[in-house]
Amino acid sequence: MTCWYEGPLAAFDTETTGVDVEGDRIVSAALVIQDGPDARPRSTRWLVNPGVPVPAGATAVHGLTDEHLQLNGRWPAPVMEEVARSLAEQCAAGRPLVIMNAPFDLTLLDRELRRHRAASLSHYLGQNPLRVLDPRVLDKHLDRYRKGRRTLTDLCEHYGVTLEGAHDAAADALAALEVVRAVGRRFASRLERLTPTELHTLQATWHAAQARGLQAWFTRQGTPELVDTAWPLRPELPAAA
């Protein structure tokens, strides 16, 4: 029987106006589907005119300018609808969804859907559960004592995955997918008996422990930053009184 890391996978990634999931916007997104390690990946891309200025710092990362997005991007409402339905289709097909740092991309998508479609991501998923594989969470749990950063670029270098065109949503999604396959092979003895559904549940626990450890480190450093333990989607913030 084929192990999950040798079978069909899909991967999702976004580029944004910033790193605040509650206030920033999606400017591009991509969904990459691959039926197997040797199969040609199929990519769907979306370019969004977010309706707000794109900070220079964000443009410096992904190269998408206000002018380019205004000329070539689509309005957010129909794009977010298409993205949500595309992810729901993957879930309905039982295809695991690879998302690097899932709480960022999924939470930002959820907030965009609430903003532009007055509906949550869970509304679109319906009865089809997410089966997320987050290379950051997997790697940090399985190789927890390795020193160094664990960005997508770092993970690609560590696992021998080629990343061409970093910070392009489709390129990043494909690279994350290949990292997950590489993680699966390297730690096969610990992962091959687990289903994606079981791994999804375990990653929520692993991420929470990782977040608490990072929070403790921030506290020792006197840093006020808060680390959210929720994975793969952060709960909606309560409305201001």
Side-chain angles (χ1 to χ4, degrees), residues 79-168:
V79 173
M80 300 311 151
E81 173 93 8
E82 290 174 16
V83 171
R85 291 190 180 281
S86 294
L87 296 189
E89 288 173 4
Q90 301 310 307
C91 294
R95 192 173 286 118
L97 194 59
V98 175
I99 309 176
M100 175 72 183
N101 191 16
F104 178 79
D105 293 86
L106 288 182
T107 304
L108 193 51
L109 174 60
D110 177 78
R111 303 314 190 251
E112 287 278 55
L113 287 166
R114 293 173 188 271
R115 184 178 295 122
H116 297 290
R117 305 301 302 184
S120 65
L121 177 58
S122 61
H123 167 78
Y124 287 92
L125 297 176
Q127 300 302 310
N128 302 308
L130 280 166
R131 297 177 180 87
V132 175
L133 300 170
D134 188 331
R136 183 178 182 180
V137 175
L138 290 170
D139 172 74
K140 195 169 184 179
H141 176 79
L142 295 164
D143 196 1
R144 68 182 68 185
Y145 299 113
R146 188 178 81 249
K147 295 182 179 180
R149 288 156 50 86
R150 300 183 194 241
T151 66
L152 180 59
T153 300
D154 297 316
L155 294 183
C156 285
E157 182 176 355
H158 182 71
Y159 287 99
V161 171
T162 300
L163 173 56
E164 297 180 355
H167 299 297
D168 169 83

Side-chain angles (χ1 to χ4, degrees), residues 146-206:
R146 188 178 81 249
K147 295 182 179 180
R149 288 156 50 86
R150 300 183 194 241
T151 66
L152 180 59
T153 300
D154 297 316
L155 294 183
C156 285
E157 182 176 355
H158 182 71
Y159 287 99
V161 171
T162 300
L163 173 56
E164 297 180 355
H167 299 297
D168 169 83
D172 286 357
L174 178 59
L177 187 153
E178 292 179 345
V179 166
V180 162
R181 293 197 191 279
V183 169
R185 294 180 188 121
R186 182 167 299 187
F187 297 98
S189 62
R190 299 167 65 182
L191 296 176
E192 62 185 356
R193 292 180 177 84
L194 296 171
T195 66
T197 299
E198 291 169 332
L199 265 178
H200 180 97
T201 301
L202 286 169
Q203 284 170 100
T205 301
W206 297 344

